[in-house]
Amino acid sequence: MGDLELDTPIQYVKGVGPRRAEQLETLGVKTLEDLMMYFPRRFDLRREVQPICTLNDGDDNATIAGEIIDARQRHARRPIFEIQLRDESASITAKWFHGGYLAQSLRPGLVVALNGKISSYNNVLQMVNPKHQIIYDPSGAKLDQDELLPVYPAGGKLTSNIIASVIQKALPQATQLLSEWFDKAYLAKRGLMTRDKAIFAMHRPEDREQWAHARRRLAYEECLLMQLGIAITRQKEISRPAHSLLSNATVDQRIRARFPFTLTDAQDRTVAEITADLARNRPMNRLLQGDVGSGKTVVALYAALLTVANKKQVAIMAPTGILATQHYRKILAYLENSNVKTELLTGGMPVKKRNRVLAELENGDIHIIVGTHALLSKTVKFKDLALVVVDEQHKFGVEQRTGIRGKGFAPHYLVMTATPIPRTLALTVFGDLDVSTIDASPPGRGKTTTKCVSAKDIPATIKFVEKKLATGQQAYFIYPLVTPSPQLELTAAQEAYHELKDGPLGKYGVGLVHGQMPSDAKNSAMRDFSDGKTKILVASVVVEVGVDVPAANVMVITHAERFGLAQLHQLRGRVGRSTENANCILIASPGNPLALKRMEILTKTCDGFKIAEEDLRIRGPGEFFGTKQHGLPELKVADLIEDFELLRLARRDAFDIIDEDPDLAMPHNQQLRRAMLKLYADRLGLIAGA
Ligand code: ADP
Ligand code: MG
């Protein structure tokens, strides 16, 4: 028992038996080291500790602290556990009915704080059933009147108090086992506290300033480990050989001639970055982000045509069949009368056609294939795939990302996202990618005005829409998934569809798309709308991503309060894609302040990056992208928003370390390697032979 190690199972730590060990394990605490890394959520300043002699009968929130000088079980009518607590001024009795379970933890000699109500019994003051907090063992540090009381995340039967007492007991010995990861100069340069000191102070800080320092060190550590994981993943990805795809002035001009406009400066810059990437014999690994309608698809097509000019194949993937079909049609339009052969592959295709496409992919007749993630299936074989473009990455997730690459070739890889990635997430969830940003839209775009109205304004809204339709514009009517039931989603959109059809707007032609429709019906409804056969499209959220109908400049979103910020921004991006000004009308009854905040942000700005940062702030990183789905463990100490600068520092350091020592094989990196593998090995399958 005396010789604890960091990997000693928690059960053998003082104050923990098999039962508590089990409970601690549900909190992720399996070893002494885990216990040391189980940090308080916050600290409460020990409210003014009163001298016992100043207590009065009836004080109902008194806090006292002192040494237990006696503890006993008594059996009156009910079993009572009773202690005698003494401070410098006096002593008092505290009792707990049915408190036998406390006999273990509240022993004579310990110093504890008690908080609760003061009453009197036979004219003697007492505390009944107070909250207690062990401040220290006789072996521990001195009692400090300003001591911060740690509040640990509790779970099940384990209260913060129990966890605190176990940790405080183990702390002095355990911190001696902790060793430093970095040398003195490294720490000094970054202003970091040593590891043992930091971990000690996380549990028992002298004051808040010391705690903040400790927290900074551990947040750095956490960020560094994460960035090491990312740096190694990236290293592995880009160290595979890839086809070098070269360009020259002729090729460049030929490609540009395909577009009926000149590229914007932002597009030019991005094209240059991608062209440089493709020329290397290492796979490109790039995220292309730009607000909806900023012209990403055009940039992706440029990359595709450059690949085809090098006699290689391209796969372009979209998250839904509608989007894939739309990309396909757009690409066909750009490529009219060219020799580039483009095909579509989706889930619902007739078998015969599918087989033909598969055969032509394998023999190299098809240059560009557009599809859904069906393209990832094992039956799809390419002759010479050199570029994979994934549109709207956030619908896929990391597994699929590695899925594409695990196929034995190393294609260049371009991800497009119209959900602007807040800078924090660009360095974490997408941290293994280089980032290109299209930060300006093509010129001459109209302005989108957003208004938020309530349900009673619906008649006025319909009148407004009718005026716009009369001028030749088209309109979306969007309905949310009212409940998680697909059936009800259908009802909401469908009812609205019939109402609109039979109402004054019916003469403009009304179409309907929703998630439960067969893809044929969906596609034909989309086509009718984009060809202008129907002027109104009633839709559930399926139009959220990427749909491009420039003549549609009015959008009415019903129950807007039920949508998330990013989703509303995406939806709104469907309008304002031409030179006309656009209108977005949010019909909302924001019942809660957060929904109200979302509406406010949307009416104020159309800047996707601002909206994304706000969204991240409101929802937190975990929910924003579903961190778990992306293979990154949750951070316990670091706050990716507040600690952004620290994250950046850690990233630079991690990439430097991996540059110098790609497998973390050097002796001075062994601690880092061990800690990193502990967190990341099963998630990312890192480091060969580890
Ligand atoms: P995104 O994929 O970013 O949503 P797209 O590439 O689909 O954007 O472009 C949106 C619209 O803008 C399309 O209709 C496209 O034809 C047009 N567009 C793209 N680039 C330019 C440009 N440089 N000048 C004018 N129009 C452009
Ligand atoms: Mg697009």
Side-chain angles (χ1 to χ4, degrees):
M1 262 203 292
D3 34 291
L4 286 176
E5 298 291 340
L6 286 175
D7 57 4
T8 300
I10 192 69
Q11 170 174 355
Y12 304 114
V13 173
K14 224 181 187 175
V16 184
R19 269 244 314 283
R20 272 192 189 161
E22 226 169 79
Q23 294 165 343
L24 280 164
E25 279 189 27
T26 65
L27 301 176
V29 176
K30 298 196 177 81
T31 64
L32 176 62
E33 184 173 25
D34 296 339
L35 184 69
M36 287 302 100
M37 300 304 279
Y38 196 81
F39 299 125
R41 193 204 313 277
R42 60 165 205 273
F43 285 88
D44 286 344
L45 201 55
R46 205 170 67 223
R47 277 153 298 193
E48 282 105 281
V49 171
Q50 290 173 253
I52 292 172
C53 71
T54 64
L55 297 174
N56 293 306
D57 185 10
D59 291 351
D60 68 353
N61 190 21
T63 303
I64 58 175
E67 187 186 344
I68 301 176
I69 50 173
D70 189 27
R72 68 179 66 194
Q73 287 277 9
R74 301 208 311 151
H75 295 272
R77 257 168 305 154
R78 305 181 263 180
I80 294 174
F81 178 70
E82 194 177 282
I83 64 170
Q84 200 65 24
L85 192 79
R86 184 178 65 194
D87 69 5
E88 283 92 14
S89 72
S91 69
I92 189 171
T93 301
K95 52 179 77 156
W96 289 264
F97 294 110
H98 301 286
Y101 64 97
L102 292 168
Q104 283 278 317
S105 43
L106 297 181
R107 300 185 313 276
L110 295 185
V111 173
V112 297
L114 301 179
N115 171 263
K117 190 174 152 81
I118 307 297
S119 54
S120 78
Y121 181 70
N122 289 340
N123 262 336
V124 178
L125 293 185
Q126 62 171 11
M127 259 178 147
V128 178
N129 295 335
K131 286 187 266 181
H132 75 274
Q133 169 80 55
I134 296 169
I135 293 172
Y136 75 112
D137 267 83
S139 56
K142 72 175 167 48
L143 173 63
D144 179 339
Q145 288 298 310
D146 285 328
E147 189 165 6
L148 297 164
L149 300 183
V151 179
Y152 288 90
K157 292 207 169 103
L158 282 173
T159 61
S160 167
N161 276 347
I162 295 174
I163 298 167
S165 73
V166 171
I167 290 178
Q168 299 291 339
K169 255 182 250 155
L171 198 53
Q173 201 188 342
T175 34
Q176 284 175 23
L177 300 169
L178 297 163
S179 52
E180 183 50 63
W181 296 356
F182 310 106
D183 61 39
K184 276 201 183 112
Y186 188 101
L187 293 176
K189 192 168 162 207
R190 291 158 184 80
L192 295 173
M193 204 183 240
T194 59
R195 194 148 200 275
D196 53 348
K197 240 176 124 175
I199 290 173
F200 191 93
M202 280 300 277
H203 297 286
R204 203 190 290 174
E206 278 163 21
D207 49 39
R208 282 189 197 271
E209 201 187 337
Q210 195 198 34
W211 176 77
H213 263 105
R215 205 200 69 86
R216 184 169 176 278
R217 151 79 203 219
L218 290 156
Y220 171 83
E221 206 174 285
E222 223 173 28
C223 291
L224 186 81
L225 293 179
M226 172 206 259
Q227 293 297 325
L228 281 173
I230 290 169
I232 288 173
T233 314
R234 183 184 153 79
Q235 183 80 25
K236 271 172 64 176
E237 281 162 0
I238 63 171
S239 62
R240 294 170 61 191
H243 295 295
S244 153
L245 307 172
L246 300 173
S247 185
N248 58 42
T250 320
V251 170
D252 177 63
Q253 271 160 27
R254 225 169 54 214
I255 297 175
R256 284 171 193 267
R258 285 279 151 203
F259 304 122
F261 38 70
T262 46
L263 298 190
T264 62
D265 289 350
Q267 283 170 324
D268 270 336
R269 196 172 7 90
T270 321
V271 161
E273 286 163 350
I274 291 172
T275 305
D277 281 356
L278 294 179
R280 292 193 196 102
N281 55 7
R282 302 260 166 249
M284 168 169 77
N285 205 30
R286 189 169 285 279
L287 173 74
L288 173 56
Q289 60 169 345
D291 222 333
V292 279
S294 60
K296 296 181 296 297
T297 309
V298 166
V299 170
L301 186 55
Y302 183 105
L305 293 175
L306 180 53
T307 308
V308 175
N310 280 268
K311 307 217 168 350
K312 299 279 185 287
Q313 290 173 300
V314 181
I316 300 178
M317 300 198 297
T320 67
I322 290 190
L323 270 173
T325 308
Q326 191 177 296
H327 276 311
Y328 173 65
R329 294 176 76 208
K330 252 207 231 169
I331 292 172
L332 280 189
Y334 284 123
L335 297 183
E336 224 182 326
N337 299 323
S338 88
N339 295 325
V340 177
K341 183 160 168 133
T342 306
E343 275 293 355
L344 180 69
L345 188 76
T346 56
M349 250 162 99
V351 178
K352 230 169 120 187
K353 177 152 189 226
R354 184 182 162 84
N355 287 340
R356 179 181 60 73
V357 169
L358 289 177
E360 289 180 359
L361 266 180
E362 194 164 3
N363 69 24
D365 285 351
I366 294 173
H367 304 113
I368 300 177
I369 183 81
V370 186
T372 56
H373 47 268
L375 287 182
L376 294 175
S377 107
K378 284 212 165 58
T379 53
V380 182
K381 298 199 178 71
F382 293 84
K383 177 155 186 262
D384 218 347
L385 179 66
L387 173 66
V388 172
V389 177
V390 181
D391 191 11
E392 320 291 0
Q393 160 75 26
H394 59 282
K395 302 275 167 187
F396 281 104
V398 163
E399 281 95 300
Q400 279 93 340
R401 206 153 100 201
T402 44
I404 309 167
R405 288 172 212 217
K407 293 188 89 175
F409 42 74
H412 296 284
Y413 183 68
L414 181 67
V415 197
M416 295 192 284
T417 171
T419 300
I421 311 288
R423 50 191 197 153
T424 327
L425 297 179
L427 297 191
T428 54
V429 177
F430 296 96
D432 58 327
L433 303 174
D434 295 312
V435 179
S436 288
T437 304
I438 302 186
D439 50 9
S441 292
R445 286 278 165 82
K447 245 190 72 181
T448 301
T449 309
T450 303
K451 245 176 40 179
C452 183
V453 303
S454 67
K456 69 172 172 26
D457 301 313
I458 290 177
T461 303
I462 297 286
K463 272 209 190 99
F464 175 81
V465 175
E466 181 164 19
K467 249 179 28 203
K468 294 287 170 185
L469 291 171
T471 70
Q473 292 195 356
Q474 291 176 243
Y476 293 102
F477 280 81
I478 310 289
Y479 294 85
L481 189 79
V482 174
T483 70
S485 148
Q487 230 27 58
L488 281 172
E489 173 199 16
L490 194 145
T491 315
Q494 215 161 37
E495 263 172 17
Y497 166 71
H498 288 299
E499 255 169 51
L500 283 168
K501 235 177 124 166
D502 301 339
L505 303 185
K507 59 174 185 277
Y508 291 99
V510 185
L512 171 68
V513 285
H514 59 71
Q516 269 65 55
M517 271 159 87
S519 55
D520 279 0
K522 242 190 283 189
N523 285 337
S524 83
M526 285 305 304
R527 198 152 40 227
D528 287 347
F529 186 63
S530 92
D531 293 346
K533 276 191 209 145
T534 52
K535 300 287 184 196
I536 294 172
L537 187 66
V538 175
S540 68
V541 285
V542 287
V543 298
E544 180 193 343
V545 250
V547 171
D548 191 10
V549 181
N553 276 314
V554 181
M555 177 172 281
V556 178
I557 304 177
T558 300
H559 283 304
E561 78 280 357
R562 303 196 189 206
F563 293 96
L565 199 46
Q567 205 178 17
L568 284 168
H569 179 65
Q570 282 284 319
L571 282 167
R572 179 171 62 178
R574 301 303 113 215
V575 298
R577 314 195 116 216
S578 71
T579 52
E580 301 279 338
N581 286 333
N583 290 281
C584 177
I585 298 156
L586 308 169
I587 301 176
S589 41
N592 70 63
L594 280 183
L596 194 66
K597 182 99 203 280
R598 291 201 293 273
M599 301 305 126
E600 221 180 271
I601 293 166
L602 281 164
T603 51
K604 269 204 204 110
T605 181
C606 280
D607 180 334
F609 283 94
K610 258 190 216 146
I611 290 171
E613 296 279 347
E614 286 292 341
D615 201 21
L616 178 61
R617 218 172 264 280
I618 294 176
R619 288 201 281 162
E623 217 189 303
F624 189 88
F625 265 128
T627 315
K628 284 198 192 96
Q629 189 204 326
H630 283 270
L632 299 173
E634 269 171 60
L635 298 172
K636 289 193 286 188
V637 182
D639 174 329
L640 290 179
I641 298 172
E642 303 307 326
D643 295 324
F644 183 72
E645 287 313 317
L646 203 58
L647 173 67
R648 241 194 347 214
L649 172 67
R651 182 177 174 84
R652 245 176 282 140
D653 289 341
F655 278 66
D656 286 350
I657 291 169
I658 294 304
D659 251 5
E660 187 195 71
D661 184 10
D663 292 319
L664 291 179
M666 292 180 179
H668 67 274
N669 285 331
Q670 288 320 293
Q671 304 248 38
L672 279 182
R673 179 188 157 95
R674 178 180 158 276
M676 204 256 326
L677 285 176
K678 191 170 173 205
L679 277 177
Y680 289 90
D682 8 326
R683 294 174 206 252
L684 298 173
L686 296 171
I687 305 192

